[in-house]
Amino acid sequence: MTTSPAPILNMSPFVVASSENLTPDEIRNLLFNVDCSLEIPIDDFNENWWPLITNIWTKWTSYKHVNGDVWKVFACCLMKFRESSTRQKENVPSDKCRITKKRSSDLCYAKIKVSWLVSLKIVQIERCKNSPNHAHLLLECDRIKRPQVIRTLVEKEAIKNYTPPAIASAVREYAIKELGLGTSVSELKRQEVANIKYKIRGHMEKIFIGDSNLMLDISQCMSYLIEKEYKVERYSTHQSSKGIVFAHPEQIKKLEQYGWLTLIDSTHKTNRYDWHLFTLYIRDTYGCWDVGAHFFVSNESCETVSQALKIIRDNYCHWSPRYILSDQSSIEAKSIKKAFPGINGGEQECEVILCVVHIMRLWMSKIYDKKTRDVMVAAMHKRTKIGCEKLIQEAIDNCAVSSIQNYIKRNYMKNTERWALWARQHSPLLLQVTSTNPLESYHSEIKRLTSSKHGLVGAVQNIVNIDLKKRSDSEKVAFDFRTKKISAHGVEDDIIEEIHKFPFPLQRLIVKEACAVMNRLEKGKGAPGLTSLDCHCLF
């Protein structure tokens, strides 16, 4: 598509003192089809004008004068005077060539001349002689490439290490609402954000690589933890397995105080040595989850894990767990029994209970008969041991697949106290916390920041930062527990004053119930028949 050359406009330059009175879209339109000469202060042009149009113009030629003045001729990015390579000279068959997108050349012949007049501290912009208008819309340039101002916004967000979709969404929202760049940011792609993030994070993650020598990396790791006031201990076993145990003093206090129910789980691919990270997770009296302790192990064996648990119990604090919730890992179960022998060792019994979510996922593949699986799920939620065992026997008797029958008999017949909820009816907390999902969410956050290319020192740095955030969150929850007051629309002031006497979590529950009753009355229904304050629950 071609257009006839536009006539040269004989008019005085349009002097622009600053860009404060112009929106970014207006600036881009002025510099897209330059209908009249423009004069702009150099600093304003370099900082506020040129970053908006870097995707429209590419340098064609330039010249520098003796006095320091520079002029450059820019051509439209769609001119593309070089043809794309077709790899014909390499004698590569077409079916073997990589499939790529090729952009046509000579689609537009628009040109402008930009002169930096250093002595006058201004920039002059004018259309080149016989240069036509653009043969396309401004949107076509935005679809090919983003202007520098958008790339700068992406780079600033990429430093925070969000996911590419989150970065793209944040940049679009900010660019549209705050900068008025609706058209240029609308074509921002997630893959482009991911590429920019990779370049930015690549330089930033050098500090996480650590030393190539494992022993030096461990030394750096321990030095960093000591610097951050962590208690850290390195150990080894007879099987030549190594481990590092570390915990912050504040975490140790909470583990000792609230560790009667502890979640344990491991995660991998946080470092290049493939050392597995174990975390102990606890919940305080304010309902907030926090870390109790960590340990890295070079080999996930019973002896290595049990040794780490003993170090935490004997050297760090008086940790005396009553229940430890884990997934169906035999190594973790054996390690816990070895570290906490219970009555046989003259101490409190420590029971291992299993995550119901992991069990349900396993049943989806192992107990593939739906009717049998539904009976087993009902057995899991039965309130009594007799009722649970009766349903298990019913599932076995009514199942026509012998392999499923043998699987249930072998794995779930004689250990119902570990996976069935009848054994947890005495504790509201055990009925509330039935899975390791809170700990898995914490590990997901760690894996989002760490990489299998990092050293141990890099993994530890990210763990310390996340632990600091978790402690800050728990402190805020503890502060709000007694001090924060709820507000509710439609609830009378005298009722709100009475509600404020309760802790904040209870305030939310009471207001929720009050609003539910009010909605019921608005619909013409009667009030619930609550005539007595007696409670008939198990607690």
Side-chain angles (χ1 to χ4, degrees), residues 319-498:
W319 175 38
S320 181
R322 180 65 180 87
Y323 298 95
I324 295 183
L325 179 62
S326 70
D327 56 14
Q328 287 186 291
S329 171
S330 59
I331 294 176
E332 292 177 3
K334 293 177 181 177
S335 303
I336 294 168
K337 287 299 181 182
K338 189 173 182 180
F340 301 96
I343 296 176
N344 295 331
E347 59 186 33
Q348 176 183 261
E349 191 70 28
C350 178
E351 297 183 18
V352 179
I353 55 179
L354 300 180
C355 169
V356 298
V357 174
H358 282 84
I359 293 175
M360 298 277 282
R361 290 174 183 169
L362 188 61
W363 285 356
M364 294 291 288
S365 60
K366 297 294 185 179
I367 308 178
Y368 46 85
D369 181 62
K370 188 177 185 306
K371 292 183 179 180
T372 305
R373 188 169 65 246
D374 290 343
V375 176
M376 290 297 294
V377 171
M380 174 186 288
H381 293 87
K382 200 67 177 177
R383 290 188 175 185
T384 61
K385 181 180 181 181
I386 296 176
C388 174
E389 293 176 345
K390 182 179 179 181
L391 287 175
I392 295 173
Q393 190 62 49
E394 180 182 336
I396 295 173
D397 295 340
N398 296 333
C399 181
V401 185
S402 60
S403 61
I404 297 179
Q405 291 179 342
N406 295 331
Y407 175 76
I408 296 175
K409 290 178 182 178
R410 184 172 60 253
N411 296 285
Y412 300 102
M413 191 92 174
K414 299 179 180 180
N415 61 345
T416 56
E417 67 281 354
R418 296 185 63 186
W419 59 270
L421 298 185
W422 68 263
R424 312 179 194 184
Q425 295 296 319
H426 63 284
S427 171
L429 183 57
L430 292 181
L431 293 177
Q432 291 175 18
V433 183
T434 58
S435 73
T436 57
N437 286 352
L439 179 51
E440 290 186 356
S441 298
Y442 172 81
H443 280 164
S444 297
E445 190 173 0
I446 289 178
K447 295 186 74 171
R448 183 176 62 84
L449 297 176
T450 56
S451 169
S452 57
K453 298 179 181 179
H454 292 174
L456 290 174
V457 63
V460 162
Q461 289 182 46
N462 288 311
I463 293 170
V464 168
N465 291 334
I466 298 176
D467 284 359
L468 180 62
K469 177 178 176 295
K470 294 294 295 184
R471 291 199 298 274
S472 176
D473 292 342
S474 62
E475 289 174 1
K476 182 179 183 303
V477 171
F479 180 78
D480 291 342
F481 188 80
R482 291 291 181 185
T483 60
K484 196 171 182 180
K485 306 297 182 184
I486 197 170
S487 60
H489 175 71
V491 182
E492 298 180 2
D493 293 340
D494 55 342
I495 298 178
I496 283 291
E497 291 180 1
E498 295 297 322

Side-chain angles (χ1 to χ4, degrees), residues 233-396:
E233 187 169 337
R234 174 183 170 187
Y235 70 96
S236 59
T237 64
H238 298 295
Q239 300 175 348
S240 300
S241 299
K242 301 178 180 63
I244 303 174
V245 182
F246 58 99
H248 193 272
E250 294 296 327
Q251 296 170 346
I252 294 173
K253 290 180 182 178
K254 289 190 175 183
L255 182 63
E256 184 174 3
Q257 186 174 0
Y258 307 113
W260 73 274
L261 171 61
T262 305
L263 277 58
I264 185 173
D265 196 12
S266 65
T267 187
H268 61 295
K269 293 184 178 180
T270 60
N271 57 87
R272 65 170 174 265
Y273 305 108
D274 199 26
W275 283 33
H276 286 204
L277 172 67
F278 279 81
T279 302
L280 304 178
Y281 219 51
I282 49 91
R283 197 175 85 159
D284 58 22
T285 53
Y286 307 105
C288 188
W289 290 98
D290 203 350
V291 176
H294 301 281
F295 55 92
F296 274 111
V297 294
S298 62
N299 181 24
E300 192 170 336
S301 63
C302 176
E303 186 177 358
T304 312
V305 177
S306 63
Q307 182 69 17
L309 295 176
K310 290 178 181 178
I311 291 174
I312 296 172
R313 182 195 64 178
D314 299 334
N315 301 352
Y316 285 8
C317 63
H318 182 65
W319 175 38
S320 181
R322 180 65 180 87
Y323 298 95
I324 295 183
L325 179 62
S326 70
D327 56 14
Q328 287 186 291
S329 171
S330 59
I331 294 176
E332 292 177 3
K334 293 177 181 177
S335 303
I336 294 168
K337 287 299 181 182
K338 189 173 182 180
F340 301 96
I343 296 176
N344 295 331
E347 59 186 33
Q348 176 183 261
E349 191 70 28
C350 178
E351 297 183 18
V352 179
I353 55 179
L354 300 180
C355 169
V356 298
V357 174
H358 282 84
I359 293 175
M360 298 277 282
R361 290 174 183 169
L362 188 61
W363 285 356
M364 294 291 288
S365 60
K366 297 294 185 179
I367 308 178
Y368 46 85
D369 181 62
K370 188 177 185 306
K371 292 183 179 180
T372 305
R373 188 169 65 246
D374 290 343
V375 176
M376 290 297 294
V377 171
M380 174 186 288
H381 293 87
K382 200 67 177 177
R383 290 188 175 185
T384 61
K385 181 180 181 181
I386 296 176
C388 174
E389 293 176 345
K390 182 179 179 181
L391 287 175
I392 295 173
Q393 190 62 49
E394 180 182 336
I396 295 173

